[in-house]
mmCIF file of all heavy atoms in Angstrom:
data_model
loop_
_atom_site.group_PDB
_atom_site.id
_atom_site.type_symbol
_atom_site.label_atom_id
_atom_site.label_comp_id
_atom_site.label_asym_id
_atom_site.label_seq_id
_atom_site.Cartn_x
_atom_site.Cartn_y
_atom_site.Cartn_z
ATOM 1 N N GLU F 14 37.325 3.180 17.805
ATOM 2 C CA GLU F 14 38.515 2.500 18.289
ATOM 3 C C GLU F 14 38.104 1.442 19.302
ATOM 4 O O GLU F 14 37.046 1.546 19.931
ATOM 5 C CB GLU F 14 39.480 3.507 18.897
ATOM 6 C CG GLU F 14 39.961 4.532 17.878
ATOM 7 C CD GLU F 14 41.215 5.255 18.310
ATOM 8 O OE1 GLU F 14 41.573 5.166 19.501
ATOM 9 O OE2 GLU F 14 41.826 5.914 17.455
ATOM 10 N N LEU F 46 22.015 -12.700 16.329
ATOM 11 C CA LEU F 46 22.444 -12.282 17.658
ATOM 12 C C LEU F 46 21.276 -12.342 18.645
ATOM 13 O O LEU F 46 21.410 -12.855 19.756
ATOM 14 C CB LEU F 46 22.993 -10.858 17.617
ATOM 15 C CG LEU F 46 24.316 -10.654 16.891
ATOM 16 C CD1 LEU F 46 24.656 -9.169 16.835
ATOM 17 C CD2 LEU F 46 25.431 -11.428 17.579
ATOM 18 N N ASN F 51 7.570 -8.762 19.722
ATOM 19 C CA ASN F 51 7.101 -7.519 20.349
ATOM 20 C C ASN F 51 8.251 -6.957 21.192
ATOM 21 O O ASN F 51 9.326 -6.758 20.653
ATOM 22 C CB ASN F 51 5.809 -7.750 21.125
ATOM 23 C CG ASN F 51 4.691 -8.171 20.187
ATOM 24 O OD1 ASN F 51 4.431 -7.505 19.187
ATOM 25 N ND2 ASN F 51 4.052 -9.297 20.477
ATOM 26 N N GLN F 59 23.071 -16.508 21.220
ATOM 27 C CA GLN F 59 24.345 -16.242 20.559
ATOM 28 C C GLN F 59 24.791 -14.793 20.740
ATOM 29 O O GLN F 59 25.708 -14.350 20.051
ATOM 30 C CB GLN F 59 24.261 -16.603 19.071
ATOM 31 C CG GLN F 59 23.942 -18.079 18.841
ATOM 32 C CD GLN F 59 24.064 -18.486 17.394
ATOM 33 O OE1 GLN F 59 25.159 -18.768 16.906
ATOM 34 N NE2 GLN F 59 22.946 -18.499 16.685
#
Side-chain angles (χ1 to χ4, degrees):
Chain F
E14 298 198 346
L46 291 175
N51 296 308
Q59 299 189 82

